[in-house]
Amino acid sequence: NAGVTQTPKFRILKIGQSMTLQCTQDMNHNYMYWYRQDPGMGLKLIYYSVGAGITDKGEVPNGYNVSRSTTEDFPLRLELAAPSQTSVYFCASRGGQVNTGELFFGEGSRLTVL
Amino acid sequence: LAKTTQPISMDSYEGQEVNITCSHNNIATNDYITWYQQFPSQGPRFIIQGYKTKVTNEVASLFIPADRKSSTLSLPRVSLSDTAVYYCLVAQNQAGTALIFGKGTTLSVSS
């Protein structure tokens, strides 16, 4: 199994550009999450989804958008990139009952905004 | 909201047992407690999960008292490769779906 796959792994953007970080999982998990992690800091929840067609804001949703049209895919859209969005982005998925189950993380997407 | 609180950092020597405690005073009745390990430039990795009392697997033990307001991750006989950041995670909403990480505990193991 591939698990959680994120693309691209690295990207440099100019201020004001837009892009989409792709995340796909092949474990048929209902729950999917996007986190960002700034250097030396913990993970911050951006958005999450409990199933196709359902998304919710996390701690730091401003400047981002998500969609969940299928169980497998959970893309994260950055509109009008800003230097403050320079970070490592992790996508994760979880199966099992709502209160249990481990999070499976992708390898991360390192984004730099100049 | 079940905010988690952990020590910012801990130091240990190889071969020692390390116990990291996390407080989660407002944990939801049905929520489980999960611990993750993170190395630099990698996503967190699942270590162990429990609901109450004690859980043990091949790498760690998890102790949860009856009131479930805290939990303790126990790493037996740590090695240099256990140097990492450790997070305890509980859901931050009653639905059990908003998984928000705390600041974590940086464990440094020396020889």
Side-chain angles (χ1 to χ4, degrees):
Chain A
N1 276 347
V4 178
T5 302
Q6 292 183 234
T7 57
K9 287 185 170 51
F10 302 93
R11 182 73 185 268
I12 298 175
L13 279 181
K14 294 182 179 179
I15 294 173
Q17 287 185 321
S18 300
M19 75 161 296
T20 299
L21 299 177
Q22 302 291 343
C23 176
T24 187
Q25 52 93 7
D26 61 359
M27 297 173 282
N28 200 33
H29 286 170
N30 285 326
Y31 307 101
M32 295 189 74
Y33 300 82
W34 273 107
Y35 296 91
R36 60 174 286 175
Q37 186 170 36
D38 299 337
M41 306 296 286
L43 295 100
K44 294 290 187 183
L45 179 64
I46 306 171
Y47 271 96
Y48 65 100
S49 169
V50 300
I54 306 171
T55 61
D56 276 299
K57 295 178 180 179
E59 302 173 274
V60 290
N62 291 343
Y64 307 94
N65 280 300
V66 293
S67 60
R68 185 93 183 271
S69 56
T70 67
T71 298
E72 295 78 19
D73 301 308
F74 190 40
L76 178 71
R77 177 80 176 165
L78 281 74
E79 303 283 1
L80 299 175
S84 61
Q85 293 178 304
T86 294
S87 190
V88 179
Y89 292 82
F90 290 103
C91 179
S93 73
R94 186 181 71 160
Q97 298 296 317
V98 64
N99 295 98
T100 69
E102 65 177 276
L103 283 167
F104 291 85
F105 283 82
E107 293 183 346
S109 297
R110 187 177 299 274
L111 175 67
T112 301
V113 182
L114 300 174
Chain B
L1 297 181
K3 180 180 178 180
T4 59
T5 303
Q6 305 172 229
I8 296 297
S9 63
M10 296 182 69
D11 296 315
S12 182
Y13 291 98
E14 285 188 291
Q16 290 188 331
E17 178 184 74
V18 171
N19 296 309
I20 306 174
T21 297
C22 176
S23 68
H24 29 76
N25 291 323
N26 298 315
I27 186 171
T29 302
N30 296 327
D31 204 19
Y32 280 65
I33 301 144
T34 313
W35 283 79
Y36 292 85
Q37 175 191 56
Q38 187 181 29
F39 297 112
S41 302
Q42 296 183 22
R45 184 177 66 177
F46 173 88
I47 302 173
I48 196 167
Q49 184 181 72
Y51 182 79
K52 61 181 178 181
T53 62
K54 177 183 176 181
V55 180
T56 298
N57 62 22
E58 63 275 9
V59 298
S61 294
L62 180 59
F63 299 91
I64 305 168
D67 65 8
R68 300 193 346 109
K69 293 185 176 182
S70 66
S71 59
T72 298
L73 174 73
S74 180
L75 304 172
R77 299 178 299 281
V78 295
S79 64
L80 296 176
S81 62
D82 292 316
T83 294
V85 180
Y86 292 83
Y87 298 94
C88 75
L89 183 64
V90 298
Q92 296 293 303
N93 60 350
Q94 287 296 323
T97 53
L99 300 181
I100 294 176
F101 284 81
K103 291 180 168 54
T105 298
T106 299
L107 173 65
S108 298
V109 181
S110 303
S111 58

